[in-house]
Amino acid sequence: MAGRRGGSVSSAEASLLAAGTGGVEELCEHLADDTVAWALLRWEVGSGTFVRSKLVAIHFNGEEVPAVRRGRLNARSGEVLAMLGEAHATLEVKRKEDLHLDFMCERLMKVLTADVMEKSMSAEALRKDYEALIAERKLRKATSQKSVGPRTAKENQKQISVDRALAAVGDATGPYNWVLLEPEKFELHNAGYGGLLEMKVWLAEDLVLFGVIRFTFGRETASSVEGMTASPKVVKYIFVHWVGPNVSAVRRGKWNAKQQQADAQVRAICSITFRREAHSLDDLDLADLISELWRLAVVDGAITDAGKSQISVEEYMASLALEQQKQLEAELEEFGSDSASRMCTDLHTCVDSVREAGGEMNWVLLGLQLRLGGRKGKEEERLAKEAAANAKKAEEERLAKEAAANTKKAEEERLVTKAAAEAKKAEEERLAKEAAANAKKAEEERLATEAAAEAKKVEDERCAREAAANTKKVEEERLAKEAAAEAKKVEEEGRAKEAAANTKKAEEERLAKEVVQGEPASSRPRADSPFLTEEARPSESVISTRLAGHKGQASTEPRMSGPLKLKSGWGWWWAKRHVKLTGGKLQWWRKAAEGLPDVEYRLSDGLTRWVLARHEGTDLEMRCESRDNHHGSKAVGERVILRAPSEAEAQKWKDALMEQMEYVEMLLAWPMHLDGRQGDIRNYGIEYP
């Protein structure tokens, strides 16, 4: 009979129902109104060194428990409470909904106000303090638990060989989709199943690394439509040669030499689509790598058109998410079984943890477990096992969903980050284009300004040349006018001389007649007398006879004549002229010596005289100077530079000029006025030679 009943309350053993760190609210989740249970709760208030802990024993007497059974269970209450130990307060609760924070604060105020430091604390303040402390403990527990998400071989602390890691990557469904090898002995640097983004995290800046990454596109899922085949899976491999930016030149050369050996080791487990050498993380851009895979697939023609359409970033991320979910489920299953073995399942250990100030557990729940027997007991055990299995499965599904959600969240964050980076890059490119456009515009403006300045300079030079040409033309016209005026003056002087000569000749004939008529010669004045009257001056023929022996005697033939180059006035350009030296005059014509000369200078007169200032090589420089510092003549200060064809010719011109000058000076020095002053020899009827 007792076997059919399966057990009694009197024979039930106290057992651990649950324990946790979430306080009153977490404890309530494990209570039901059709059960009788006993709990020990550690209530903590304050912070730091002022934390105060109070132990509260709770007798949960569910009102839906049959009266007889409740009575028998309550009869064991003292025994169970003794197992929980002494407490500062003991509470009885009959309904689950009555066990809440406000209820606890109101019932515990008397206990807590017994402490001197808590006398001024209100129930509201007590509640807020307790909630803050529980939230802090939950946060600390959450951060101490193992994170959910892809983990690499190093993070899982798995001892895996290089061959096994490479084989896992080479297998299209292997647990790893990337692996990195160190350059010295090709030891495993790391491996993982988080794809390209995860691999880039492990690329050290001071190392050269060799690796391979698997790209999977498409999912091999069976079609729901009868007769249709599953979509094919496209698998590609990329060999990665990473050269860290901080690697020295010597090590870089040494490690890069191992590239072919690493390539051969990778080729032994998979077929490499192409190789990528990277010196920065930007060289391993996901979109760029997939674009190259698509291009090579099109060129090779090794896959179908449907396979080509699957090679995209979206397909890769979808396939990667499935790989990660599958691997996470495997890890969670392994981690769940391992963590379950480490959970606190000992009643006394959990009670001690709650009673210890600052212990890991802050509540523990005990109940009376009946010893079951017979078929009913076995059925209940089976049902309990099924319930545990279902609970475990539900927990695993929850963790898998959390992992998928975390993966999705990480991918969304990555896409957001990528979008932000692309937006930033686009903005930088836009700013760079604007800067380039501004620079180009500034350069064009500078070139336009320079061109305008150059054009202005050319125009100024042209105007200057025109002005110089006009000045030269005006000067030539002035010189021509002066030459014409001088020629006119010479012509008038010639006519005056002819008239004076005729007058003198008539006078001489008259005097000759008087002499013939009997006038004594002694009564006529001497020809060399300084006091000769104007009428008694000797004729030009008489004076010429007296000077017949002088080497500079006047001649009707020119002393020198020929083409020379000359500079006249203050001009600085050479002009070719026909020059003639005759009769104490220097004359020149533009071409041949025909008609009146274009320019004529008298070598000497009563006020000025021309002197040879310089003879240098083929150049002869003549200057006009005043005889007595009288500058009334406009010719004073003028100069003429003659350039002969040769130095010998220049010497001849020099001798002729000196001879003519000395001759004229001698003539000027001989005749005298009656008042004793020197005068012009033309006053005596003597022309210049």
Side-chain angles (χ1 to χ4, degrees), residues 194-197 200 213-215 217 238 274 276 281-293 311-317 320 411 414-415 418 422:
L196 178 64
L197 297 179
K200 290 168 70 172
I213 180 170
R214 184 180 71 223
F215 282 81
F217 305 94
I238 299 177
F274 71 90
R276 174 58 60 91
L281 297 180
D282 294 337
D283 296 336
L284 295 173
D285 181 68
L286 177 61
D288 180 52
L289 295 177
I290 294 179
S291 176
E292 182 65 13
L293 288 174
I311 300 178
S312 65
V313 176
E314 292 76 11
E315 286 292 333
Y316 169 72
M317 296 306 300
L320 181 62
E411 180 61 18
R414 185 191 66 79
L415 293 177
K418 182 179 179 181
E422 291 177 351

Side-chain angles (χ1 to χ4, degrees), residues 49-61:
T49 58
F50 297 101
V51 174
R52 295 292 180 268
S53 299
K54 301 296 180 180
L55 296 175
V56 181
I58 300 174
H59 177 199
F60 185 78
N61 194 8

Side-chain angles (χ1 to χ4, degrees), residues 113-132:
T113 53
D115 194 331
V116 178
M117 299 189 67
E118 269 52 357
K119 284 185 178 180
S120 60
M121 181 175 291
S122 63
E124 182 66 21
L126 182 64
R127 173 177 176 164
K128 291 183 178 179
D129 198 6
Y130 181 76
E131 287 178 340

